[in-house]
Amino acid sequence: MKKFYIETFGCQMNVHDSEKVIGTLVGRGYSQVETPDEADLLLYNTCSIRDKAEQKVFNRLVEIKKRSRDKVVGVLGCVAQQEGEKIFERAPHVSLVAGSASYNRLPEMLVQIETGHRRVTGLSLETEDTFEVPFTRRDNPHKAFLTIIEGCDKSCAYCVVPMTRGPERSRTSASVLDEARRLAAEGYTEITLLGQNVNSYRDPSPAGLDFAQLLRRIGQVDGLRRVRFTTSHPRDFVKDIIDAIDENPILCNHIHLPVQSGSTSILSRMQRLYTREEYLRRINWMKNARRDIAITSDIIVGFPGETDADFEQTLRLLEEVRYDSIFSFKYSQRPNTPALQYEDHLTEEEKSRRLTIVQERQRQIQLERNANYVGAIEEVHIDGYNRATRQWLGKTSQHKQVCFTHPMLPEPASGGATLEGTYLPVRITRSGPVSLAGEAAVLPN
Ligand code: 5AD
Ligand code: SF4
């Protein structure tokens, strides 16, 4: 039996790609093992979004060098696509380098390795295919990812993704809906639709659904209780998406709409294709929705040329939108991206200073926002139990983390009774900057 070990770095798309890679390998007689030592094949599905993420991958490759003498080592994902054959030079113990646009050819590439090829690559980005597999390994039995669109056609000046994941390819709505129905039939109740830019989804079949139409259809699938999606690009975000969320409570009231900067001049240098005002118009749609929609974002500080006044605009935007949470990053120089050529790069110290200011300001906003939930009853989809704090954990439709106690089931019962995967109303009694705490309001039925 051929045994493989896989480690995944990076975003949810990578996590889900790995699930599909695992399904592909298991379908061909491989079995997955939990440690590199047990494996014949070591796979690393990698991320290159920032320099630190990429360094982590190369550190891992150095670490495993000695232990991988009789093993095949493969590098998949964004570092593979970005660095290509250079990886063989930096890490000669690697024999497979393949980007996500080539995963359909993985079985073939593995056969090449088995038949003695020392170095095999899958680096072409010229594809119209999506990576759809007959079997996907999913570890969580309640929540599933579902890809609707791959690749990215934007060209943000700081970003490697258009180069690492290739051009946009949408799946047919029939195939997406089939998978959603299959997942529901298997007992999944929450699904997250994935794509680098889900808003530019365009059904390639004659049905021709756009993203909001697809969302409405998925919201009708029997058995699903929550549908999420990520990630959205403001330029392609239309009001119809909010209308769809307003119409159907199955569609979660949470939108992740990365703004990156609050300054129109920086947005233009970033090639984001919208102004501060256009972005805020979309935020207004959300704020005027019938449902209370949680809004989250990504922020980059210290983009080349970001002045104090530009940075101030970002802080002002945080105050204006009052996000439920944000991911914030220092700008990181990436190979082959237009921003590398820009002048006026900021020092690390200045970027760190700005990052701290953003994070402190946002922490305060979250503290204030979350305090509004105290006293409310929120439906929580339960993820598990934390033995250290003796609390159950889960998420609201708005994707807020809730820790709570349960008077009748203080911990998972030894006989197996557990709340994992169920939905429960929880009375919120306390709040902090990143989570809410409370007590289950009733027993599950
Ligand atoms: N430097 C810093 N952050 C980046 N991101 C993407 N590229 C870079 C970069 N070069 C951030 C963006 C994006 C998120 C996934 O990562 O905020 O939305
Ligand atoms: Fe990292 Fe971006 Fe690739 Fe995801 S798509 S793995 S975030 S570089």
Side-chain angles (χ1 to χ4, degrees), residues 282-307:
R282 282 145 185 80
I283 295 295
N284 263 332
W285 296 339
M286 296 177 205
K287 296 204 164 170
N288 292 328
R290 287 195 293 283
R291 295 175 66 200
D292 183 12
I293 297 179
I295 311 171
T296 58
S297 194
D298 294 342
I299 305 275
I300 296 177
V301 299
F303 188 74
E306 185 186 74
T307 62

PDB file of all heavy atoms in Angstrom, residues 282-307:
ATOM      1  N   ARG A 282     -21.288  50.151  -1.187  1.00  0.00           N
ATOM      2  CA  ARG A 282     -21.618  48.738  -0.966  1.00  0.00           C
ATOM      3  C   ARG A 282     -21.852  48.459   0.522  1.00  0.00           C
ATOM      4  O   ARG A 282     -22.744  47.701   0.898  1.00  0.00           O
ATOM      5  CB  ARG A 282     -20.520  47.843  -1.530  1.00  0.00           C
ATOM      6  CG  ARG A 282     -20.630  47.717  -3.036  1.00  0.00           C
ATOM      7  CD  ARG A 282     -19.303  47.628  -3.742  1.00  0.00           C
ATOM      8  NE  ARG A 282     -19.472  47.617  -5.184  1.00  0.00           N
ATOM      9  CZ  ARG A 282     -19.695  48.695  -5.949  1.00  0.00           C
ATOM     10  NH1 ARG A 282     -19.769  49.891  -5.415  1.00  0.00           N
ATOM     11  NH2 ARG A 282     -19.844  48.576  -7.251  1.00  0.00           N
ATOM     12  N   ILE A 283     -21.048  49.099   1.353  1.00  0.00           N
ATOM     13  CA  ILE A 283     -21.223  48.924   2.798  1.00  0.00           C
ATOM     14  C   ILE A 283     -22.600  49.467   3.204  1.00  0.00           C
ATOM     15  O   ILE A 283     -23.302  48.873   4.025  1.00  0.00           O
ATOM     16  CB  ILE A 283     -20.105  49.664   3.573  1.00  0.00           C
ATOM     17  CG1 ILE A 283     -18.749  49.026   3.270  1.00  0.00           C
ATOM     18  CG2 ILE A 283     -20.386  49.683   5.077  1.00  0.00           C
ATOM     19  CD1 ILE A 283     -18.560  47.607   3.741  1.00  0.00           C
ATOM     20  N   ASN A 284     -23.003  50.564   2.564  1.00  0.00           N
ATOM     21  CA  ASN A 284     -24.325  51.120   2.882  1.00  0.00           C
ATOM     22  C   ASN A 284     -25.454  50.177   2.519  1.00  0.00           C
ATOM     23  O   ASN A 284     -26.433  50.077   3.239  1.00  0.00           O
ATOM     24  CB  ASN A 284     -24.525  52.453   2.163  1.00  0.00           C
ATOM     25  CG  ASN A 284     -24.189  53.592   3.096  1.00  0.00           C
ATOM     26  OD1 ASN A 284     -24.329  53.447   4.312  1.00  0.00           O
ATOM     27  ND2 ASN A 284     -23.724  54.688   2.543  1.00  0.00           N
ATOM     28  N   TRP A 285     -25.313  49.487   1.378  1.00  0.00           N
ATOM     29  CA  TRP A 285     -26.329  48.481   1.020  1.00  0.00           C
ATOM     30  C   TRP A 285     -26.464  47.479   2.163  1.00  0.00           C
ATOM     31  O   TRP A 285     -27.566  47.109   2.547  1.00  0.00           O
ATOM     32  CB  TRP A 285     -25.935  47.689  -0.237  1.00  0.00           C
ATOM     33  CG  TRP A 285     -25.832  48.473  -1.494  1.00  0.00           C
ATOM     34  CD1 TRP A 285     -26.404  49.687  -1.754  1.00  0.00           C
ATOM     35  CD2 TRP A 285     -25.120  48.094  -2.680  1.00  0.00           C
ATOM     36  NE1 TRP A 285     -26.088  50.078  -3.032  1.00  0.00           N
ATOM     37  CE2 TRP A 285     -25.304  49.126  -3.622  1.00  0.00           C
ATOM     38  CE3 TRP A 285     -24.348  46.990  -3.037  1.00  0.00           C
ATOM     39  CZ2 TRP A 285     -24.747  49.080  -4.892  1.00  0.00           C
ATOM     40  CZ3 TRP A 285     -23.793  46.932  -4.296  1.00  0.00           C
ATOM     41  CH2 TRP A 285     -23.983  47.971  -5.223  1.00  0.00           C
ATOM     42  N   MET A 286     -25.337  47.050   2.674  1.00  0.00           N
ATOM     43  CA  MET A 286     -25.356  46.031   3.740  1.00  0.00           C
ATOM     44  C   MET A 286     -26.001  46.587   5.000  1.00  0.00           C
ATOM     45  O   MET A 286     -26.790  45.938   5.661  1.00  0.00           O
ATOM     46  CB  MET A 286     -23.940  45.557   4.063  1.00  0.00           C
ATOM     47  CG  MET A 286     -23.283  44.865   2.894  1.00  0.00           C
ATOM     48  SD  MET A 286     -21.598  44.397   3.294  1.00  0.00           S
ATOM     49  CE  MET A 286     -20.910  44.341   1.644  1.00  0.00           C
ATOM     50  N   LYS A 287     -25.636  47.843   5.314  1.00  0.00           N
ATOM     51  CA  LYS A 287     -26.177  48.434   6.549  1.00  0.00           C
ATOM     52  C   LYS A 287     -27.670  48.707   6.437  1.00  0.00           C
ATOM     53  O   LYS A 287     -28.365  48.755   7.449  1.00  0.00           O
ATOM     54  CB  LYS A 287     -25.409  49.713   6.893  1.00  0.00           C
ATOM     55  CG  LYS A 287     -23.958  49.383   7.203  1.00  0.00           C
ATOM     56  CD  LYS A 287     -23.299  50.401   8.072  1.00  0.00           C
ATOM     57  CE  LYS A 287     -22.031  49.783   8.632  1.00  0.00           C
ATOM     58  NZ  LYS A 287     -21.167  50.701   9.307  1.00  0.00           N
ATOM     59  N   ASN A 288     -28.147  48.903   5.217  1.00  0.00           N
ATOM     60  CA  ASN A 288     -29.572  49.150   5.025  1.00  0.00           C
ATOM     61  C   ASN A 288     -30.374  47.878   4.790  1.00  0.00           C
ATOM     62  O   ASN A 288     -31.567  47.942   4.518  1.00  0.00           O
ATOM     63  CB  ASN A 288     -29.789  50.109   3.847  1.00  0.00           C
ATOM     64  CG  ASN A 288     -29.280  51.496   4.194  1.00  0.00           C
ATOM     65  OD1 ASN A 288     -29.336  51.892   5.355  1.00  0.00           O
ATOM     66  ND2 ASN A 288     -28.766  52.217   3.216  1.00  0.00           N
ATOM     67  N   ALA A 289     -29.708  46.724   4.873  1.00  0.00           N
ATOM     68  CA  ALA A 289     -30.423  45.455   4.648  1.00  0.00           C
ATOM     69  C   ALA A 289     -31.408  45.220   5.785  1.00  0.00           C
ATOM     70  O   ALA A 289     -31.278  45.809   6.865  1.00  0.00           O
ATOM     71  CB  ALA A 289     -29.422  44.308   4.575  1.00  0.00           C
ATOM     72  N   ARG A 290     -32.389  44.336   5.517  1.00  0.00           N
ATOM     73  CA  ARG A 290     -33.351  44.025   6.580  1.00  0.00           C
ATOM     74  C   ARG A 290     -32.690  43.211   7.680  1.00  0.00           C
ATOM     75  O   ARG A 290     -32.986  43.369   8.845  1.00  0.00           O
ATOM     76  CB  ARG A 290     -34.550  43.253   6.000  1.00  0.00           C
ATOM     77  CG  ARG A 290     -35.478  44.137   5.162  1.00  0.00           C
ATOM     78  CD  ARG A 290     -36.803  43.450   4.928  1.00  0.00           C
ATOM     79  NE  ARG A 290     -36.685  42.259   4.088  1.00  0.00           N
ATOM     80  CZ  ARG A 290     -36.543  42.293   2.756  1.00  0.00           C
ATOM     81  NH1 ARG A 290     -36.520  43.454   2.130  1.00  0.00           N
ATOM     82  NH2 ARG A 290     -36.450  41.173   2.064  1.00  0.00           N
ATOM     83  N   ARG A 291     -31.760  42.309   7.274  1.00  0.00           N
ATOM     84  CA  ARG A 291     -31.067  41.515   8.285  1.00  0.00           C
ATOM     85  C   ARG A 291     -29.809  42.251   8.751  1.00  0.00           C
ATOM     86  O   ARG A 291     -29.284  43.098   8.038  1.00  0.00           O
ATOM     87  CB  ARG A 291     -30.704  40.142   7.715  1.00  0.00           C
ATOM     88  CG  ARG A 291     -31.959  39.327   7.401  1.00  0.00           C
ATOM     89  CD  ARG A 291     -31.597  38.024   6.729  1.00  0.00           C
ATOM     90  NE  ARG A 291     -30.860  37.121   7.599  1.00  0.00           N
ATOM     91  CZ  ARG A 291     -30.112  36.107   7.151  1.00  0.00           C
ATOM     92  NH1 ARG A 291     -29.992  35.880   5.860  1.00  0.00           N
ATOM     93  NH2 ARG A 291     -29.497  35.320   8.002  1.00  0.00           N
ATOM     94  N   ASP A 292     -29.370  41.884   9.952  1.00  0.00           N
ATOM     95  CA  ASP A 292     -28.177  42.523  10.508  1.00  0.00           C
ATOM     96  C   ASP A 292     -26.951  41.794   9.959  1.00  0.00           C
ATOM     97  O   ASP A 292     -26.603  40.714  10.429  1.00  0.00           O
ATOM     98  CB  ASP A 292     -28.261  42.403  12.045  1.00  0.00           C
ATOM     99  CG  ASP A 292     -27.109  43.109  12.719  1.00  0.00           C
ATOM    100  OD1 ASP A 292     -26.384  43.858  12.040  1.00  0.00           O
ATOM    101  OD2 ASP A 292     -26.932  42.887  13.936  1.00  0.00           O
ATOM    102  N   ILE A 293     -26.329  42.362   8.948  1.00  0.00           N
ATOM    103  CA  ILE A 293     -25.245  41.653   8.260  1.00  0.00           C
ATOM    104  C   ILE A 293     -23.895  42.004   8.897  1.00  0.00           C
ATOM    105  O   ILE A 293     -23.550  43.182   9.020  1.00  0.00           O
ATOM    106  CB  ILE A 293     -25.244  42.009   6.755  1.00  0.00           C
ATOM    107  CG1 ILE A 293     -26.559  41.519   6.116  1.00  0.00           C
ATOM    108  CG2 ILE A 293     -24.040  41.410   6.045  1.00  0.00           C
ATOM    109  CD1 ILE A 293     -26.693  41.832   4.643  1.00  0.00           C
ATOM    110  N   ALA A 294     -23.151  40.977   9.310  1.00  0.00           N
ATOM    111  CA  ALA A 294     -21.796  41.207   9.832  1.00  0.00           C
ATOM    112  C   ALA A 294     -20.877  41.472   8.648  1.00  0.00           C
ATOM    113  O   ALA A 294     -20.987  40.819   7.605  1.00  0.00           O
ATOM    114  CB  ALA A 294     -21.307  39.996  10.602  1.00  0.00           C
ATOM    115  N   ILE A 295     -19.987  42.451   8.819  1.00  0.00           N
ATOM    116  CA  ILE A 295     -19.084  42.826   7.725  1.00  0.00           C
ATOM    117  C   ILE A 295     -17.641  42.672   8.199  1.00  0.00           C
ATOM    118  O   ILE A 295     -17.274  43.187   9.262  1.00  0.00           O
ATOM    119  CB  ILE A 295     -19.319  44.285   7.274  1.00  0.00           C
ATOM    120  CG1 ILE A 295     -20.815  44.552   7.047  1.00  0.00           C
ATOM    121  CG2 ILE A 295     -18.524  44.595   6.014  1.00  0.00           C
ATOM    122  CD1 ILE A 295     -21.153  46.029   6.813  1.00  0.00           C
ATOM    123  N   THR A 296     -16.845  41.953   7.414  1.00  0.00           N
ATOM    124  CA  THR A 296     -15.432  41.792   7.762  1.00  0.00           C
ATOM    125  C   THR A 296     -14.580  42.180   6.554  1.00  0.00           C
ATOM    126  O   THR A 296     -15.093  42.334   5.441  1.00  0.00           O
ATOM    127  CB  THR A 296     -15.119  40.341   8.197  1.00  0.00           C
ATOM    128  OG1 THR A 296     -15.472  39.453   7.139  1.00  0.00           O
ATOM    129  CG2 THR A 296     -15.911  39.953   9.440  1.00  0.00           C
ATOM    130  N   SER A 297     -13.271  42.336   6.793  1.00  0.00           N
ATOM    131  CA  SER A 297     -12.436  42.886   5.728  1.00  0.00           C
ATOM    132  C   SER A 297     -10.974  42.474   5.880  1.00  0.00           C
ATOM    133  O   SER A 297     -10.582  41.930   6.906  1.00  0.00           O
ATOM    134  CB  SER A 297     -12.537  44.416   5.772  1.00  0.00           C
ATOM    135  OG  SER A 297     -12.026  44.993   4.600  1.00  0.00           O
ATOM    136  N   ASP A 298     -10.216  42.720   4.830  1.00  0.00           N
ATOM    137  CA  ASP A 298      -8.753  42.601   4.881  1.00  0.00           C
ATOM    138  C   ASP A 298      -8.175  43.994   4.665  1.00  0.00           C
ATOM    139  O   ASP A 298      -8.678  44.751   3.830  1.00  0.00           O
ATOM    140  CB  ASP A 298      -8.218  41.720   3.738  1.00  0.00           C
ATOM    141  CG  ASP A 298      -8.650  40.269   3.852  1.00  0.00           C
ATOM    142  OD1 ASP A 298      -9.067  39.843   4.937  1.00  0.00           O
ATOM    143  OD2 ASP A 298      -8.566  39.563   2.824  1.00  0.00           O
ATOM    144  N   ILE A 299      -7.114  44.289   5.412  1.00  0.00           N
ATOM    145  CA  ILE A 299      -6.445  45.592   5.297  1.00  0.00           C
ATOM    146  C   ILE A 299      -4.950  45.361   5.092  1.00  0.00           C
ATOM    147  O   ILE A 299      -4.359  44.534   5.791  1.00  0.00           O
ATOM    148  CB  ILE A 299      -6.599  46.405   6.621  1.00  0.00           C
ATOM    149  CG1 ILE A 299      -8.057  46.569   7.028  1.00  0.00           C
ATOM    150  CG2 ILE A 299      -5.839  47.728   6.559  1.00  0.00           C
ATOM    151  CD1 ILE A 299      -8.776  47.721   6.406  1.00  0.00           C
ATOM    152  N   ILE A 300      -4.375  46.082   4.155  1.00  0.00           N
ATOM    153  CA  ILE A 300      -2.914  46.079   4.007  1.00  0.00           C
ATOM    154  C   ILE A 300      -2.397  47.448   4.444  1.00  0.00           C
ATOM    155  O   ILE A 300      -2.876  48.472   3.948  1.00  0.00           O
ATOM    156  CB  ILE A 300      -2.495  45.821   2.547  1.00  0.00           C
ATOM    157  CG1 ILE A 300      -2.944  44.422   2.113  1.00  0.00           C
ATOM    158  CG2 ILE A 300      -0.985  45.974   2.377  1.00  0.00           C
ATOM    159  CD1 ILE A 300      -2.639  44.107   0.646  1.00  0.00           C
ATOM    160  N   VAL A 301      -1.450  47.469   5.373  1.00  0.00           N
ATOM    161  CA  VAL A 301      -0.847  48.756   5.746  1.00  0.00           C
ATOM    162  C   VAL A 301       0.551  48.838   5.150  1.00  0.00           C
ATOM    163  O   VAL A 301       1.213  47.827   4.923  1.00  0.00           O
ATOM    164  CB  VAL A 301      -0.747  48.957   7.286  1.00  0.00           C
ATOM    165  CG1 VAL A 301      -2.115  48.936   7.921  1.00  0.00           C
ATOM    166  CG2 VAL A 301       0.181  47.934   7.917  1.00  0.00           C
ATOM    167  N   GLY A 302       0.958  50.074   4.861  1.00  0.00           N
ATOM    168  CA  GLY A 302       2.328  50.297   4.398  1.00  0.00           C
ATOM    169  C   GLY A 302       2.536  49.913   2.950  1.00  0.00           C
ATOM    170  O   GLY A 302       3.650  49.543   2.556  1.00  0.00           O
ATOM    171  N   PHE A 303       1.492  49.997   2.131  1.00  0.00           N
ATOM    172  CA  PHE A 303       1.685  49.798   0.691  1.00  0.00           C
ATOM    173  C   PHE A 303       2.622  50.901   0.193  1.00  0.00           C
ATOM    174  O   PHE A 303       2.601  52.021   0.720  1.00  0.00           O
ATOM    175  CB  PHE A 303       0.315  49.874  -0.006  1.00  0.00           C
ATOM    176  CG  PHE A 303       0.359  49.506  -1.458  1.00  0.00           C
ATOM    177  CD1 PHE A 303       0.510  48.183  -1.839  1.00  0.00           C
ATOM    178  CD2 PHE A 303       0.270  50.484  -2.440  1.00  0.00           C
ATOM    179  CE1 PHE A 303       0.563  47.828  -3.182  1.00  0.00           C
ATOM    180  CE2 PHE A 303       0.325  50.137  -3.788  1.00  0.00           C
ATOM    181  CZ  PHE A 303       0.471  48.811  -4.161  1.00  0.00           C
ATOM    182  N   PRO A 304       3.464  50.612  -0.832  1.00  0.00           N
ATOM    183  CA  PRO A 304       4.404  51.633  -1.297  1.00  0.00           C
ATOM    184  C   PRO A 304       3.701  52.972  -1.568  1.00  0.00           C
ATOM    185  O   PRO A 304       2.666  53.001  -2.236  1.00  0.00           O
ATOM    186  CB  PRO A 304       4.956  51.042  -2.602  1.00  0.00           C
ATOM    187  CG  PRO A 304       4.796  49.567  -2.441  1.00  0.00           C
ATOM    188  CD  PRO A 304       3.598  49.350  -1.556  1.00  0.00           C
ATOM    189  N   GLY A 305       4.264  54.037  -1.026  1.00  0.00           N
ATOM    190  CA  GLY A 305       3.698  55.369  -1.257  1.00  0.00           C
ATOM    191  C   GLY A 305       2.601  55.745  -0.287  1.00  0.00           C
ATOM    192  O   GLY A 305       2.054  56.850  -0.382  1.00  0.00           O
ATOM    193  N   GLU A 306       2.253  54.867   0.661  1.00  0.00           N
ATOM    194  CA  GLU A 306       1.181  55.206   1.608  1.00  0.00           C
ATOM    195  C   GLU A 306       1.669  56.313   2.548  1.00  0.00           C
ATOM    196  O   GLU A 306       2.588  56.106   3.349  1.00  0.00           O
ATOM    197  CB  GLU A 306       0.771  53.969   2.421  1.00  0.00           C
ATOM    198  CG  GLU A 306      -0.427  54.223   3.340  1.00  0.00           C
ATOM    199  CD  GLU A 306      -0.719  53.017   4.253  1.00  0.00           C
ATOM    200  OE1 GLU A 306       0.068  52.803   5.219  1.00  0.00           O
ATOM    201  OE2 GLU A 306      -1.706  52.311   4.005  1.00  0.00           O
ATOM    202  N   THR A 307       1.065  57.492   2.427  1.00  0.00           N
ATOM    203  CA  THR A 307       1.467  58.626   3.275  1.00  0.00           C
ATOM    204  C   THR A 307       0.717  58.557   4.605  1.00  0.00           C
ATOM    205  O   THR A 307      -0.198  57.743   4.762  1.00  0.00           O
ATOM    206  CB  THR A 307       1.091  59.963   2.610  1.00  0.00           C
ATOM    207  OG1 THR A 307      -0.346  59.975   2.464  1.00  0.00           O
ATOM    208  CG2 THR A 307       1.744  60.118   1.247  1.00  0.00           C
TER     209      THR A 307
END
